[in-house]
Amino acid sequence: MKKKQRVTEEPAEMHPSDFSHDDAEEQLGDPVKAKRAKANKEEEEEEEEVVYHPVKLSRNDLYRPPTAEELHHLKEAESLFHCSLLKMQMEELLKEVVLSERRKQQIDSFVKTVTKLLETVPVSPEVEVSDLSWLSGAVKVPCLLVPKLTKGKFHMAPPASIDLIGSYPLGTCIKPNVKVDLAATIPADVLHPKDVLNQRYPRKRALYLAGLAQHLKSSSDIGTMCYSCLHGNRLQPFLLLTPPGNSSSFIVCVHVCPPPGFFKPSRFHPQRNNIRTEWYTGLQASRTESSEPPTPHYNSSVLGDLLPRAHLQFLSAIRAQCPAFSDGVALLKVWLHQRELDQGTGCFNGFLASMLLAYLLVNHRISNTMTAYQLLRNSLNFLASTDLTVSGISLAKDPDSTAPSLAEFHDAFQVVFVDPSGHLNMCADMTAFTYKQLQHEALVSMQFWDDPTVDGFHCLLMTPKPMIRTSDYVFQLCDLAKLQASCKKQNLLSELMDHSGNYVRTALPFLLSLLQQGLGQRIRLLTHSLSPEPEWSVESEAPKYKAQPPLCFGLLLNPELATSVLERGPPADSPKAAEFRRLWGSRAELRRFQDGAITEAVLWEGTSAYQKRLVPRQIVTHLLQLHADIPESCVRFIGTLVDDVIATGNEVPSTGEEESLVVVQSYDDLSRKLWKLENLPLSITAVQGAHPALRYTQVFPPEPVLLDYSFFDREKAGRSLVPKEGTPCPHYITPITVICHMEGSGKWPHDRTAIRHIRAAFHISLAELLKKHHNYTCRPCPTHLDVWKEGLVFRIQVAYHREPQVLRESVNAEGLLVLRDNEEAQALEMATIHKPLLTSTLHGLQQQHPCFGAACRLAKRWLAAQLFSDDVTEDAADLLVASLFLQPAPFTPPSSPQVAFLRFLRLLSAFDWRNNPLVVNLNSQLTAAEYTEIKNDFMASRESLPVMFIATPKDKKLSLWTRRAPSVQMLQRVMLVAAESLKVLELQLMDGSQTQDVRVIMRPPLDAFDVLIHLNQKQVPLLRHAVDPPAVTFSRGLVTDGAGQAGGAMPVIDYNPVSLYLTELRDAFGELALFFCDPYGGTVISVLWKPKAFVPAPFKTSQMAARSVEVAGEEVKTIPNVEAILEDFRVMGKGLVKSVEARTEKWTF
């Protein structure tokens, strides 16, 4: 008993985790303990047993309440991480991005090499600044010398000191873009205290850097070497060095700076001038220094060179107090990098991220004990709620008397964040619009952070957000040299002088405010690209400003107002009317409105939804032409390029919105008439649409047609129309499915055959009543009733709610009633219950998001063109697109079809279909608990579920819409093609130098197929909708002029020879091959043999269809008879098949 009691008590004092590593080593290494007496050995074994064997706890210990520490851990896991997975994911991410010890050793070694080389720079004799004879011709000065002349003397000498600065010594440097900053201090005797004037210091700095480059160029210890400039500022060039060898994973940046304290900070007050107009323009001017315009941006660029060491000391002190500081900065850097906000002119870079965390720590907004996760969260919360364009912040605790006030900083700069010295605005180059974008991104991140239905980690830190996929519309200014004229027109000389001749940076704030004023309420956010840091060889001249990539602007639209064609201005007698006319120029006109008001207004062109989506383009091009002298040819609009793929109509181009509306209105009218019908044996309880056109998502919606009766013959019995022999296939008329539910009653039989007969009788009754009351041409059938109404065909199917249940019932041998699910019942349930419900739900989504329908049409056109429409069905595709609108994180819901389509391709290619269900929360019906339940059920029965699993509020466990397709192989193919299409399309959209043909992503590669069946274009009814429609057109039995007709003979309905031929091929040869075709005008059927089909099979007389016999010795095997099969393809498709192209090299026997 004594031993047993000890076993239960010991673990409280002697748990394995309580041993320290050092104690263990000490025990192992002690020679005395190796020679212990045998008496102690038994006790030692007993202790070992206590420590390592499983312990049987008493009932009290098992159920004792958790300790304070355990409660703290539980609370942290619950409150901080709505999913404990998020914590682990962030920790794993940090392990991935921080530098390994091996990488650090490589960096330290190379930095030491560079430092030694820099210390041996030879001294050169003193010359005039403009004299470059000391510099060999192989190395150029990394500076645009405009104006050419400036005063001063210069000579080369070794740096006074060489120090590591920036993120590497601070410990916040992360992968993948590892840059190590090295500061070489220019000796004091090279500079003069008055060098701040007229760009003397920046030019000496550039000369000194060129001298260093010339010295390093001769060394074999340096791999590649080129120039760049800090955040695109040409006055701050630096050297990029890589070690020898191709596999360099880091870059060393050599910066040049003056000795600390060499210039007085007061010289750089944002209201002071350091570039004289007379020197800059070369014209005589009688201005005194006090009347010269201030040069705040120039001042801050020079002052920024004085402070990097002081900033490093400040941040190092902060880091020492907060253990998670480095990890917090790393996470914030990853967040910024995914949003493309961390690089380029006026970006929010890693240095600012570190300073922001420092500010929050210094001001006790966050505590030193917080984790990296909490630091990131609080930083984003601060950014989302603080507007630095209105109320700037400062790290200076007690600045000296010469330091500017925050108000003075706000007068000179758009965004204000002052450094610890109190003299430098660290956000001097940032535009207000970049900060608004940063704020918007932080706000969006905070909104989905705590949402348990969103994968927070992936949305926050793993999803890239390029402008083309984030903004609804993007447009580019292509010829940047035109901005010189804009600066001249707006008289921006003093600003141009302040930016040292950079006309792109000078004109940008003016262009942004102009566009913001013109677009007004139409947009929620205006963003712009950040000019990248240029890189050029040390042997080349510095690139001109016009050489940088086009300037991109992104618009986040307000869907309610974005497409309005009328811009209503102030009343004619208002003082604001003159300002309105000045903004809009000749487009402004006085108009009288229905309410009697006479106001200024601008009317833009646009009748269809497709044309109205181009209104922002008209506004942008008009304003830039009027106020900035930028011609329309220099503006490249990228908002609607992909829409052309689904555009129809010659006079008024449309992408299907108007046609869909006509169908919906006609359906609503029919629905009302059905409700009002009397004298039916049972009353109608519901009329529901079950066709994609009724939810605005049919790729090419049905259009009302007027028939040319001379094109057709008449059927003898039913007097219906039939196509004449030898004529092209008639126009394809889509039947629009409508489900008509009849009331339940005891009169309904319980036999499946009897129910079908009753339904057929209802179809006949409905046809008689519609003919009698409304004179509609009707054709009743046992399964449905076709109604010819206003040039459209509606297919009414009567439904009885208990019929699927009856189909599942059967009587077994013992006479008992048993329920068995079967294909027939599932198909009926899908047609009469699930599809109508989905149609009405998605119709509601279209009312909320006007571009939902067009986005679905684009997505389905791509799937069809790439031959995937049989694998990703129409309903599944609509749900995939719906998920982009209902769960858009980390984006906002799309407001243009093009951006929705790009995100659709990204979703298809990047979603983890193997391990996650795609939950589409229609009507926001699912709770967080139900999300968890769906995920858990999915993981529990993953193997038996479809490979693409889509869950909805009414379908949480089965994924009805993807139950039959796609297969694993086809889903992999879809993902691969989607990824490639996205890459090609985004590159084409953003790069104006590429051949502009967005249809390239709609042309499938046919190399992979074994047989191609070419079809006769005459017999392809949807030929006009092909990706590349042929120039030749065929008459298809329609009268082109005139609206749809009522009455008359019933047309040829749902007749598509291509789809009928495909069905026959699949029925006959489905075991041997897969068949693919674009349903919208495809003229090729692609055939892919199944690999298992060509494995020789034993001879059986019952399985000899399309097979030939091979005899090898005594074995008789059969293999597919390819020649006979190809002949069958031709015979079955006589009149439709033009030729069969066999690619014999693809066959494997």
Side-chain angles (χ1 to χ4, degrees):
M1 279 301 291
K2 194 174 181 183
K3 183 177 176 184
K4 188 175 180 182
Q5 187 181 355
R6 184 177 166 187
V7 168
T8 56
E9 288 173 2
E10 281 292 326
E13 299 165 19
M14 298 182 65
H15 198 270
S17 62
D18 294 342
F19 281 116
S20 76
H21 187 64
D22 296 339
D23 289 346
E25 276 190 11
E26 198 176 304
Q27 285 179 4
L28 290 168
D30 193 343
V32 179
K33 284 178 183 164
K35 298 175 183 177
R36 271 189 176 168
K38 280 185 183 177
N40 290 349
K41 240 180 186 178
E42 288 173 21
E43 199 175 314
E44 198 179 316
E45 281 169 14
E46 197 173 271
E47 279 185 15
E48 279 179 14
E49 185 186 353
V50 169
V51 175
Y52 294 109
H53 282 208
V55 173
K56 195 169 182 182
L57 295 172
S58 67
R59 189 174 179 81
N60 287 346
D61 284 340
L62 272 171
Y63 294 100
R64 74 168 187 269
T67 63
E69 191 178 355
E70 286 169 336
L71 276 172
H72 174 71
H73 283 307
L74 286 168
K75 183 74 179 159
E76 186 184 54
E78 185 183 19
S79 62
L80 296 183
F81 315 106
H82 61 76
C83 170
S84 57
L85 189 61
L86 185 59
K87 182 177 184 180
M88 291 188 284
Q89 284 170 321
M90 284 195 177
E91 286 168 358
E92 284 302 312
L93 175 69
L94 287 169
K95 287 178 195 170
E96 287 293 318
V97 298
V98 296
L99 303 183
S100 63
E101 285 305 315
R102 183 170 150 274
R103 180 82 58 91
K104 286 180 185 173
Q105 286 167 7
Q106 290 173 345
I107 291 171
D108 292 341
S109 167
F110 186 58
V111 166
K112 200 176 283 182
T113 305
V114 174
T115 306
K116 280 182 182 171
L117 285 169
L118 292 176
E119 285 168 350
T120 59
V121 172
V123 178
S124 73
E126 193 168 73
V127 292
E128 288 291 325
V129 168
S130 52
D131 179 5
L132 303 179
S133 58
W134 61 275
L135 200 59
S136 73
V139 172
K140 299 284 193 257
V141 180
C143 186
L144 292 171
L145 303 172
V146 182
K148 284 264 187 225
L149 297 172
T150 190
K151 292 179 185 174
K153 304 274 187 187
F154 176 80
H155 70 274
M156 268 314 286
S161 65
I162 300 162
D163 307 292
L164 277 169
I165 55 168
S167 59
Y168 182 68
L170 189 63
T172 58
C173 188
I174 62 166
K175 295 184 279 190
N177 303 320
V178 182
K179 287 190 174 178
V180 180
D181 298 296
L182 206 58
T185 306
I186 304 173
D189 58 345
V190 175
L191 300 172
H192 189 277
K194 284 199 170 180
D195 279 348
V196 292
L197 286 174
N198 296 346
Q199 297 186 11
R200 288 177 210 162
Y201 162 70
R203 293 190 182 195
K204 285 188 178 180
R205 181 189 193 283
L207 288 171
Y208 194 78
L209 193 68
L212 298 182
Q214 180 174 274
H215 178 65
L216 292 172
K217 199 170 188 302
S218 58
S219 171
S220 60
D221 293 329
I222 306 293
T224 60
M225 178 165 64
C226 63
Y227 289 131
S228 183
C229 50
L230 195 61
H231 311 316
N233 184 352
R234 300 305 171 83
L235 297 186
Q236 292 180 292
F238 60 90
L239 268 176
L240 294 174
L241 308 177
T242 59
N246 298 327
S247 60
S248 171
S249 51
F250 63 90
I251 295 172
V252 170
C253 308
V254 179
H255 303 267
V256 173
C257 53
F262 187 83
F263 301 121
K264 287 182 184 172
S266 58
R267 287 251 12 161
F268 305 106
H269 192 288
Q271 291 179 347
R272 288 195 68 163
N273 171 281
N274 281 315
I275 294 183
R276 304 290 186 254
T277 310
E278 185 179 336
W279 171 80
Y280 188 78
T281 60
L283 302 171
Q284 290 292 321
S286 55
R287 282 185 167 181
T288 60
E289 187 182 340
S290 58
S291 67
E292 289 274 5
T295 53
H297 290 90
Y298 171 78
N299 296 353
S300 68
S301 76
V302 179
L303 182 59
D305 278 0
L306 278 168
L307 297 167
R309 291 180 188 81
H311 290 156
L312 179 61
Q313 286 171 358
F314 169 76
L315 289 170
S316 298
I318 297 286
R319 184 196 168 205
Q321 297 166 14
C322 178
F325 179 79
S326 299
D327 288 347
V329 171
L331 288 178
L332 190 51
K333 277 182 167 184
V334 172
W335 182 85
L336 289 163
H337 181 72
Q338 295 290 28
R339 284 149 186 79
E340 297 188 343
L341 286 165
D342 64 332
Q343 285 177 328
T345 307
C347 63
F348 197 92
N349 56 7
F351 167 66
L352 283 171
S354 306
M355 283 295 190
L356 177 71
L357 275 182
Y359 172 82
L360 296 175
L361 284 161
V362 166
N363 288 280
H364 307 295
R365 299 284 189 96
I366 52 180
S367 90
N368 291 333
T369 56
M370 282 185 175
T371 60
Y373 169 97
Q374 292 165 310
L375 294 180
L376 175 65
R377 185 186 174 109
N378 282 282
S379 307
L380 296 185
N381 195 32
F382 175 79
L383 286 171
S385 57
T386 312
D387 190 353
L388 299 188
T389 62
V390 178
S391 49
I393 54 175
S394 174
L395 274 162
K397 285 210 170 163
D398 34 34
D400 59 50
S401 56
T402 59
S405 65
L406 280 176
E408 287 172 322
F409 275 120
H410 273 295
D411 289 342
F413 304 107
Q414 293 190 353
V415 186
V416 177
F417 182 10
V418 183
D419 82 322
S421 73
H423 287 273
L424 175 68
N425 175 22
M426 296 180 288
C427 291
D429 291 336
M430 192 181 290
T431 63
F433 292 88
T434 301
Y435 186 76
K436 293 286 183 195
Q437 182 188 356
L438 180 70
Q439 248 195 317
H440 167 79
E441 291 291 358
L443 193 63
V444 170
S445 295
M446 292 311 295
Q447 283 168 353
F448 67 73
W449 189 297
D450 286 326
D451 187 349
T453 65
V454 172
D455 183 350
F457 173 72
H458 269 89
C459 291
L460 271 174
L461 300 169
M462 299 302 283
T463 308
K465 294 189 68 179
M467 182 185 276
I468 188 74
R469 232 179 286 153
T470 306
S471 302
D472 296 312
Y473 287 168
V474 175
F475 65 92
Q476 294 176 332
L477 292 188
C478 297
D479 188 358
L480 294 179
K482 290 279 191 293
L483 292 176
Q484 294 178 50
S486 307
C487 294
K488 201 170 182 180
K489 181 159 187 171
Q490 292 301 320
N491 198 19
L492 300 173
L493 175 66
S494 52
E495 288 86 349
L496 192 61
M497 205 160 72
D498 183 22
H499 286 293
S500 310
N502 188 340
Y503 47 83
V504 180
R505 293 260 304 275
T506 305
L508 183 61
F510 157 70
L511 293 178
L512 288 164
S513 59
L514 172 70
L515 293 171
Q516 180 68 58
Q517 193 182 352
L519 292 162
Q521 297 294 308
R522 294 172 186 271
I523 59 170
R524 288 179 290 168
L525 188 69
L526 170 63
T527 63
H528 62 93
S529 61
L530 306 174
S531 304
E533 296 181 354
E535 291 181 16
W536 68 99
S537 162
V538 291
E539 297 168 12
S540 311
E541 297 286 352
K544 300 274 196 295
Y545 294 119
K546 65 181 179 185
Q548 67 189 49
L551 204 52
C552 300
F553 297 86
L555 308 179
L556 207 59
L557 300 178
N558 181 357
E560 288 82 35
L561 303 170
T563 55
S564 167
V565 291
L566 185 72
E567 191 82 43
R568 189 166 170 173
D573 53 358
S574 160
K576 291 182 179 175
E579 189 184 332
F580 185 85
R581 284 193 297 274
R582 186 194 62 75
L583 177 65
W584 296 110
S586 59
R587 292 299 300 245
E589 55 188 14
L590 278 176
R591 293 181 84 89
R592 182 176 183 144
F593 291 89
Q594 287 181 337
D595 59 2
I598 299 173
T599 70
E600 294 286 346
V602 179
L603 187 68
W604 304 103
E605 290 81 34
T607 49
S608 68
Y610 172 67
Q611 289 175 319
K612 286 178 182 177
R613 283 201 288 273
L614 293 170
V615 168
R617 172 188 178 171
Q618 295 177 52
I619 293 172
V620 167
T621 51
H622 174 71
L623 289 175
L624 292 178
Q625 173 77 64
L626 182 66
H627 295 284
D629 275 352
I630 296 172
E632 189 173 342
S633 59
C634 292
V635 181
R636 186 167 169 269
F637 192 76
I638 309 170
T640 56
L641 289 178
V642 182
D643 299 10
D644 291 345
V645 173
I646 53 166
T648 55
N650 299 326
E651 292 169 19
V652 180
S654 160
T655 46
E657 289 83 358
E658 289 72 32
E659 292 85 344
S660 297
L661 185 60
V662 168
V663 173
V664 170
Q665 287 170 342
S666 185
Y667 157 75
D668 288 341
D669 178 54
L670 177 66
S671 175
R672 280 192 296 273
K673 286 171 178 170
L674 285 171
W675 277 107
K676 289 177 183 172
L677 289 179
E678 293 173 356
N679 301 327
L680 281 167
L682 293 173
S683 60
I684 294 170
T685 57
V687 178
Q688 294 175 305
H691 191 271
L694 298 175
R695 56 191 188 228
Y696 297 83
T697 67
Q698 178 77 10
V699 179
F700 297 106
E703 296 176 52
V705 293
L706 196 61
L707 298 179
D708 173 8
Y709 289 107
S710 65
F711 185 84
F712 300 92
D713 284 332
R714 296 269 180 166
E715 195 184 49
K716 283 185 181 174
R719 304 298 295 154
S720 294
L721 302 178
V722 290
K724 282 183 181 174
E725 190 83 23
T727 57
C729 177
H731 177 83
Y732 180 71
I733 294 178
T734 315
I736 299 155
T737 313
V738 178
I739 305 297
C740 188
H741 287 271
M742 310 307 282
E743 69 175 328
S745 160
K747 296 175 185 176
W748 281 98
H750 291 286
D751 175 68
R752 63 181 71 185
T753 312
I755 289 173
R756 283 179 195 141
H757 288 166
I758 297 284
R759 276 201 288 125
F762 268 119
H763 291 144
I764 294 167
S765 296
L766 286 171
E768 288 168 353
L769 289 168
L770 287 170
K771 176 71 179 170
K772 179 182 170 185
H773 294 299
H774 305 291
N775 196 29
Y776 290 155
T777 303
C778 301
R779 184 167 62 199
C781 304
T783 53
H784 59 265
L785 161 68
D786 286 336
V787 179
W788 174 236
K789 175 183 186 292
E790 295 160 4
L792 295 167
V793 171
F794 290 91
R795 179 160 285 179
I796 299 171
Q797 294 178 6
V798 167
Y800 168 45
H801 69 277
R802 282 204 73 252
E803 189 176 359
Q805 179 75 1
V806 172
L807 290 176
R808 289 190 177 99
E809 291 173 356
S810 61
V811 180
N812 65 7
E814 285 83 36
L816 296 173
L817 191 69
V818 290
L819 286 177
R820 277 203 190 91
D821 203 3
N822 55 61
E823 294 275 326
E824 194 182 4
Q826 285 175 5
L828 185 68
E829 219 165 43
M830 177 67 86
T832 59
I833 298 169
H834 299 304
K835 275 197 179 179
L837 180 64
L838 182 70
T839 300
S840 61
T841 308
L842 294 181
H843 180 274
L845 189 62
Q846 164 68 24
Q847 306 309 312
Q848 286 175 279
H849 302 282
C851 72
F852 167 71
C856 288
R857 291 195 286 280
L858 270 177
K860 291 197 283 194
R861 184 68 195 97
W862 177 84
L863 285 166
Q866 290 290 353
L867 316 178
F868 298 135
S869 51
D870 289 318
D871 297 289
V872 182
T873 60
E874 286 216 25
D875 302 314
D878 286 348
L879 284 169
L880 288 170
V881 177
S883 72
L884 302 169
F885 288 84
L886 297 169
Q887 288 108 351
F891 303 97
T892 50
S895 293
S896 80
Q898 179 172 291
V899 79
F901 176 60
L902 291 171
R903 292 184 200 169
F904 166 78
L905 292 178
R906 166 78 188 172
L907 172 72
L908 268 185
S909 60
F911 191 81
D912 183 2
W913 298 105
R914 174 84 189 104
N915 299 311
N916 288 301
L918 181 71
V919 183
V920 186
N921 192 2
L922 298 166
N923 293 337
S924 304
Q925 290 175 309
L926 293 172
T927 61
E930 286 173 311
Y931 262 86
T932 310
E933 183 192 337
I934 289 169
K935 177 87 177 170
N936 292 343
D937 289 345
F938 171 82
M939 294 310 288
S941 48
R942 179 66 193 105
E943 295 310 315
S944 61
L945 293 173
V947 286
M948 178 187 270
F949 188 92
I950 302 176
T952 61
K954 301 288 183 193
D955 172 27
K956 298 177 195 171
K957 297 187 178 182
L958 298 174
S959 187
L960 295 169
W961 311 103
T962 57
R963 184 187 284 174
R964 284 171 180 71
S967 63
V968 178
Q969 296 85 349
M970 286 312 297
L971 180 60
Q972 285 175 338
R973 174 81 178 158
V974 170
M975 291 172 74
L976 183 74
V977 177
E980 199 56 34
S981 297
L982 181 65
K983 192 168 108 185
V984 168
L985 184 57
E986 285 189 349
L987 183 66
Q988 228 186 64
L989 292 175
M990 292 305 280
D991 186 357
S993 63
Q994 296 250 334
T995 310
Q996 294 300 298
D997 179 16
V998 292
R999 290 172 188 264
V1000 71
I1001 61 154
M1002 301 281 173
R1003 298 184 189 114
L1006 298 176
D1007 311 345
F1009 297 101
D1010 300 315
V1011 180
L1012 299 180
I1013 304 172
H1014 297 276
L1015 306 177
N1016 181 354
Q1017 293 186 348
K1018 207 173 170 183
Q1019 300 302 335
V1020 179
L1022 295 172
L1023 187 65
R1024 70 187 194 285
H1025 295 317
V1027 173
D1028 299 298
V1032 60
T1033 55
F1034 301 98
S1035 165
R1036 302 218 179 256
L1038 299 184
V1039 178
T1040 47
D1041 304 321
Q1045 63 199 21
M1050 183 65 76
V1052 178
I1053 302 168
D1054 199 19
Y1055 174 58
N1056 186 344
V1058 181
S1059 60
L1060 295 170
Y1061 178 51
L1062 261 176
T1063 306
E1064 285 186 19
L1065 287 175
R1066 284 173 181 150
D1067 289 345
F1069 304 108
E1071 290 180 4
L1072 298 176
L1074 297 170
F1075 299 89
F1076 303 90
C1077 186
D1078 177 359
Y1080 303 108
T1083 56
V1084 176
I1085 293 177
S1086 309
V1087 185
L1088 192 68
W1089 299 123
K1090 290 183 177 177
K1092 289 181 182 173
F1094 286 92
V1095 176
F1099 175 79
K1100 285 184 184 174
T1101 50
S1102 59
Q1103 294 176 1
M1104 280 304 294
R1107 301 183 82 84
S1108 59
V1109 177
E1110 268 192 358
V1111 180
E1114 292 190 7
E1115 271 194 298
V1116 181
K1117 299 274 186 181
T1118 66
I1119 58 165
N1121 185 349
V1122 175
E1123 284 75 15
I1125 292 169
L1126 297 187
E1127 188 56 34
D1128 287 350
F1129 288 173
R1130 284 191 197 92
V1131 172
M1132 289 167 71
K1134 186 184 175 186
L1136 174 63
V1137 174
K1138 189 161 116 190
S1139 65
V1140 177
E1141 181 190 342
R1143 302 185 165 198
T1144 47
E1145 72 276 5
K1146 286 278 181 190
W1147 296 349
T1148 50
F1149 292 100

